[in-house]
């Protein structure tokens, strides 16, 4: 008890210089307090930097696609001939096609590429990417190990044809506009979950002012869109889970 | 706020009729089901308390001495109860739900917390708990038969028959590709129905009077398991034998009413392969 009384007296003795006496309560040592707030702020800023900048940077591993596929070039009718279709979806489904039974082929296999790029000896264009395709994959007849941006967990069932054919939803509504891309974006894989950043969304906070369907691909986003479209019955569990 | 649900809507109500007189007890339905739905195997498959069988074949007898002994087999999938399924009302994680549009009781493995209340609540023993992670021995070909349409279960969750729900999804995709919204009877059939060599299992929409199942359920030989507890199972059984029908529920002595319409039996039943033709 004695010691405590002594220590509480000390501030009033030492702090005559700067603040006027009686301005702060006696138990508050203003110099120590400023120091403490400073430490707190330094810690807070450090924590924020770690949490918002360093952690997301470390969390996602950056991987480049095996070949830098140029969507813009292929969809340009002046440069590439033969990709037919008037609407954008028809052009998309020239390569990202539906099978006859209604299932979606997703990322095309090598056979789709070799429909045009058939002879490794004579490339159609002059780009280094095409040479790469010819020598590494077409000549050796190996599948290209594409990294799929929108790969969902195994327990999820998604019917593309229900959304494209029946719901009349354009591809870029959910996938973003790939048609003008000259370069494929980096594939960012979450090191903990193994899923692409496109599932969680680019923002680590998960908070958006005006969320577009292409921002995130989580279950809540599916359900939100179903509700907005008046398709609430499709929020039943066994519609999207398998 | 309670939202309006779809109880009253005449949606689909998928159900099954199993003719026990045709069932030979071969077990093809069990095998077909396990292969279709990526049901894991145990190193020791004879451990019946731990083995997972969505479709299970039971053997029942009338309990009489030699000259009068009769044996019947009955396959038991999930009953997909139509009225307050006991598993759904006890589920603390909302991992299992009755879908009012299809009548299928769903089970979401990633949502299940493995408390096994549903297993205790199910009056039919149709639910199974995964004590171990899914196991498909390599080099024996089992791993190569895995279906990508059904997600394998992890340890610590409960699983059960889903009426091959992925086949409904497949049929729907096919329908959408052909610009249809409705699917035909033969486009959605469960694996056990297709596999049964005796044709004992019939599957279809109970709400559609055109479908074979809704005609079969009107037959006087039709019964359901534990019908009087009010769960309204969507799996119906048929048998011309009174003792089999009697075993479908717990009757007090003298409570069971035998089917007396013998003309039905003679005209309709004896034309089909079953016990009467022997």
């Amino acid at each position: 008890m004695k010691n405590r009384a002594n220590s509480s007296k000390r501030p009033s003795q030492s702090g005559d210089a700067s603040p006027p006496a009686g301005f702060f309560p006696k138990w508050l040592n203003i110099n120590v307090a400023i120091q403490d707030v400073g430490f707190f702020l330094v810690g807070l800023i450090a924590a924020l930097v770690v949490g918002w900048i360093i952690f997301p940077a470390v969390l996602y591993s950056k991987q480049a696609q095996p070949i830098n596929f140029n969507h813009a070039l292929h969809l340009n009718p002046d440069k590439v001939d033969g990709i037919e279709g008037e609407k954008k979806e028809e052009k998309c489904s020239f390569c990202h096609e539906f099978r006859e039974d209604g299932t979606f082929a997703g990322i095309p296999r090598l056979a789709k590429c070799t429909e045009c790029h058939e002879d490794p000896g004579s490339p159609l264009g002059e780009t280094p990417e095409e040479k790469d395709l010819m020598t590494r994959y077409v000549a050796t007849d190996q599948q290209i190990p594409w990294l799929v941006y929108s790969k969902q967990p195994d327990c999820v069932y998604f019917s593309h044809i229900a959304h494209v054919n029946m719901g009349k939803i354009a591809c870029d509504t959910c996938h973003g506009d790939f048609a003008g891309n000259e370069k494929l974006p980096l594939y960012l894989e979450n090191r903990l979950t193994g899923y692409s950043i496109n599932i969680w969304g680019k923002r680590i906070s998960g908070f958006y002012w005006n969320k577009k369907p292409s921002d995130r691909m989580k279950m809540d986003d599916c359900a939100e869109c179903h509700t907005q479209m008046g398709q609430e019955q499709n929020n039943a569990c066994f519609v999207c889970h398998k | 706020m309670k939202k309006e649900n779809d109880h009253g809507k005449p949606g689909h109500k998928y159900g099954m009729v199993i003719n026990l007189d045709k069932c030979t007890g071969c077990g093809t339905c069990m095998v077909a089901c396990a292969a279709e739905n990526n049901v894991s195997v145990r190193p020791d498959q004879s451990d019946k308390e731990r083995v997972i069988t969505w479709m299970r074949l039971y053997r029942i007898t009338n309990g009489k001495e030699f000259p009068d002994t009769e044996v019947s087999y009955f396959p038991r999938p999930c009953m997909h109860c139509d009225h307050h399924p006991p598993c759904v009302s006890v589920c603390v994680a909302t991992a299992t739900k009755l879908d009012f549009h299809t009548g299928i009781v769903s089970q979401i493995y990633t949502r299940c917390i493995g408390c096994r209340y549903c297993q205790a609540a199910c009056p039919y023993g149709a639910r199974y708990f995964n004590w171990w992670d899914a196991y498909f021995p390599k080099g024996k070909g089992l791993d190569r038969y895995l279906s990508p349409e059904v997600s394998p279960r992890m340890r610590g969750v409960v699983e059960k028959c889903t009426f091959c729900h992925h086949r409904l999804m497949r049929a729907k995709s096919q329908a959408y590709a052909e610009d249809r919204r409705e699917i035909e009877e033969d486009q959605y059939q469960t694996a056990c129905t297709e596999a049964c060599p005796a044709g004992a299992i019939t599957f279809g929409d109970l709400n559609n009077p055109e479908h074979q199942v809704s005609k079969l359920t009107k037959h006087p030989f039709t019964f359901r398991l534990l019908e009087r507890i009010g769960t309204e199972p969507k799996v119906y059984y048929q048998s011309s034998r009174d003792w089999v029908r009697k075993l479908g529920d717990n009757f007090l002595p003298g409570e069971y009413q035998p089917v007396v319409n013998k003309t039905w039996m003679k005209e309709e039943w004896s034309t089909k392969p079953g016990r009467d033709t022997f």
Side-chain angles (χ1 to χ4, degrees), chain A residues 99-103 154-155 157 159 161-162 165-167 219 227 232-233 236-239 241-242, chain B residues 3 97 99 101 104 106-110 148-149 151-152 162 165 169 173-174 176-177 179-181:
Chain A
R99 302 192 192 94
E100 253 175 45
D101 63 348
T103 51
D154 187 51
C155 58
Y157 172 84
S159 170
I161 201 148
N165 262 28
M166 293 286 142
M219 189 174 94
T227 312
E232 265 189 327
Q233 76 277 8
C237 310
F238 248 13
V239 176
H241 280 283
K242 60 179 186 184
Chain B
K3 280 189 184 166
K97 291 271 267 182
D99 188 342
H101 293 270
I104 294 174
S106 61
Q107 174 76 20
I108 310 300
Y109 315 118
T110 39
E149 289 179 296
S151 63
T162 59
H165 173 263
M169 288 295 142
S173 284
Q174 172 88 57
Y176 294 154
D179 268 327
R180 289 182 285 120
R181 282 220 177 256

Side-chain angles (χ1 to χ4, degrees), chain A residues 62-184:
Chain A
K62 297 185 175 68
Q63 296 170 39
Q65 294 280 1
I67 286 184
N68 203 353
F69 184 83
N70 191 335
H71 276 96
L73 179 78
H74 282 82
L75 286 170
N76 188 346
D78 300 335
K79 296 203 171 153
V80 174
D81 207 25
I83 293 186
E84 289 151 15
E86 289 179 5
K87 280 193 293 180
K88 224 185 231 177
E89 289 81 71
E90 287 169 18
K91 284 188 175 178
C92 292
S93 60
F94 186 82
C95 292
H96 305 279
E97 60 190 346
F98 286 108
R99 302 192 192 94
E100 253 175 45
D101 63 348
T103 51
F104 183 60
I107 307 293
R109 290 172 72 80
L110 187 70
K112 197 79 210 175
C113 306
T114 52
E115 277 179 21
C116 301
H117 303 268
E118 48 189 348
D119 186 8
S122 58
L124 303 170
E126 286 163 1
T127 56
E129 281 87 17
E130 197 196 358
K131 264 179 209 151
D132 205 20
L133 168 79
M134 292 303 193
T135 49
R136 271 166 67 197
Y137 300 106
V138 178
T140 55
D141 199 24
Q142 265 186 340
Q143 292 297 333
I144 310 169
W146 295 113
L147 302 161
V148 186
Y149 299 109
S150 46
K151 194 171 173 61
Q152 288 283 338
D154 187 51
C155 58
V156 179
Y157 172 84
F158 183 82
S159 170
H160 274 92
I161 201 148
H163 292 83
V164 178
N165 262 28
M166 293 286 142
K168 305 283 176 214
I169 296 171
C171 310
D172 58 344
T173 310
C174 302
H175 290 286
D177 196 357
F178 269 80
N181 275 12
E182 296 196 343
K183 269 186 178 179
L184 286 174

Side-chain angles (χ1 to χ4, degrees), chain B residues 45-112:
Chain B
Q45 275 290 104
S46 65
D47 182 3
K48 294 298 177 202
E49 285 186 353
R50 294 285 184 265
V51 156
I52 292 170
T53 45
W54 287 12
M55 175 65 121
R56 186 141 184 182
L57 196 68
Y58 288 91
R59 178 178 173 274
I60 48 175
T61 73
N62 60 352
K64 288 187 181 158
E65 290 295 317
F66 155 63
D68 303 318
T69 309
E70 280 189 42
V71 171
S72 179
Y73 294 91
F74 79 87
R76 194 253 29 232
C78 169
M79 299 288 144
H80 292 272
C81 305
D82 205 41
H83 186 249
H84 294 299
C87 52
V88 171
S89 39
V90 298
C91 183
V92 290
T94 332
T96 179
K97 291 271 267 182
L98 171 61
D99 188 342
F100 297 116
H101 293 270
T102 56
I104 294 174
V105 177
S106 61
Q107 174 76 20
I108 310 300
Y109 315 118
T110 39
R111 197 167 175 111
C112 176

